[in-house]
Amino acid sequence: MKGLWRNAVRISQLLWYKDEQACVFCGEGHGPICLTCRMNYLRPELRRCKRCGKLIESGELDCLDCLAGRGPKQLDQVTAWGHYSGGLKEFIQRIKFKSQPNLIREISRPFSDWAISQLPVVDGIVAVPMHMSRLAERGFNQAEVIASALHWELGLPILSGVERLESRSSQVLLSRQERLHNLTGAFNVRQPENYQGKSVWLIDDVTTTGSTLEAVAEALRQCGTKEIYGLCLAAGLEKRLVPLSE
């Protein structure tokens, strides 16, 4: 089924991309992502924690935090394309903080191909919403841009109606449990009947503890969403895998 689905959108993909391009992360190797950047930042040799998306050792299923019960509970699976560091981190920051959302289209094909190899086909895609004040400040929601790229590549419909009710305090200095608590009740689903019995990919750019994905997933569960799979461009790395130099 996946093979037929992917072939159905291949003709439209060919209209979008050039055959030759430089690596979008380093600008030097052959793109869209050179082998060096793929190994350094996408880390294909590592698994992703199924609960929070963190990159972990290949023989494990969950990270240490999630094994200790400190991870998300409302998601069926979370996966991240790569590690939030180096060229991938710089790429995401250029999108968010230098107002370059068009860069997403440069990686939409490899990211979509990876996503459909990791997650089941679903009824639709949901972007993690941004509060209106932050949206007015930035001018776009990067999660929505990523969702649009997945829609273009894979033909999955985008589901709307999820909103962020409040702009909470910064999560940067909070612990994993504090982050989960900080976002409780921050999201709402309008017309919840549209999500009843549905399966979705929940999209964001970066996940660290999984707290934002968890808060949105909780709102989706309350209106009867059947399956929720978190999907992000980047995630953190299991602490015991972090080099001492970092």
Side-chain angles (χ1 to χ4, degrees):
M1 180 177 177
K2 288 184 179 180
L4 293 174
W5 185 34
R6 292 167 65 183
N7 288 336
V9 296
R10 191 58 64 186
I11 293 177
S12 61
Q13 290 174 344
L14 294 175
L15 299 175
W16 192 329
Y17 299 95
K18 298 178 181 179
D19 291 334
E20 300 291 334
Q21 67 180 92
C23 174
V24 295
F25 295 159
C26 69
E28 298 178 359
H30 180 67
I33 303 165
C34 70
L35 179 60
T36 299
C37 288
R38 193 179 309 134
M39 298 306 296
N40 286 343
Y41 311 126
L42 302 188
R43 304 296 299 271
E45 82 283 5
L46 297 178
R47 295 181 68 95
R48 277 61 174 161
C49 173
K50 286 187 173 295
R51 296 178 186 271
C52 73
K54 185 185 298 179
L55 278 66
I56 57 178
E57 293 178 309
S58 58
E60 305 295 332
L61 292 178
D62 302 305
C63 71
L64 295 177
D65 283 321
C66 289
L67 283 173
R70 295 190 291 268
K73 306 294 193 300
Q74 300 293 336
L75 295 127
D76 292 279
Q77 181 183 344
V78 181
T79 193
W81 195 30
H83 177 218
Y84 189 56
S85 66
L88 178 55
K89 180 177 180 179
E90 292 171 4
F91 177 80
I92 293 172
Q93 291 184 341
R94 282 158 60 199
I95 292 167
K96 295 169 65 173
F97 306 126
K98 294 187 178 180
S99 300
Q100 298 181 36
N102 59 302
L103 288 177
I104 288 293
R105 73 176 190 175
E106 302 297 328
I107 54 91
S108 61
R109 181 187 294 183
F111 178 55
S112 297
D113 286 345
W114 180 84
I116 197 59
S117 74
Q118 301 294 312
L119 298 173
V121 177
V122 289
D123 297 311
I125 307 172
V126 181
V128 169
M130 183 179 288
H131 189 263
M132 290 302 296
S133 61
R134 179 64 62 83
L135 184 61
E137 177 183 332
R138 183 168 296 169
F140 65 93
N141 178 357
Q142 65 276 1
E144 291 181 350
V145 178
I146 297 168
S148 294
L150 291 166
H151 166 71
W152 173 268
E153 294 287 345
L154 301 174
L156 285 169
I158 296 176
L159 304 179
S160 60
V162 182
E163 59 185 352
R164 184 158 188 162
L165 300 176
E166 302 177 31
S167 182
R168 300 293 173 91
S169 59
S170 172
Q171 301 265 89
V172 175
L173 299 179
L174 302 182
S175 69
R176 174 178 285 251
Q177 286 300 104
E178 288 172 336
R179 290 186 183 206
L180 290 169
H181 178 74
N182 186 51
L183 290 170
T184 300
F187 299 94
N188 179 60
V189 181
R190 302 190 308 273
Q191 297 180 312
E193 63 275 8
N194 293 339
Y195 285 87
Q196 181 73 38
K198 296 288 182 64
S199 58
V200 302
W201 286 358
L202 180 58
I203 311 300
D204 208 354
D205 59 332
V206 179
T207 180
T208 49
T209 63
S211 56
T212 302
L213 294 174
E214 172 79 345
V216 180
E218 184 174 10
L220 290 170
R221 291 289 187 194
Q222 290 174 356
C223 63
T225 307
K226 182 177 64 174
E227 297 173 352
I228 306 171
Y229 302 94
L231 174 63
C232 301
L233 291 179
L237 187 68
E238 181 77 276
K239 290 180 180 178
R240 58 188 174 190
L241 295 178
V242 177
L244 294 178
S245 60
E246 296 187 9

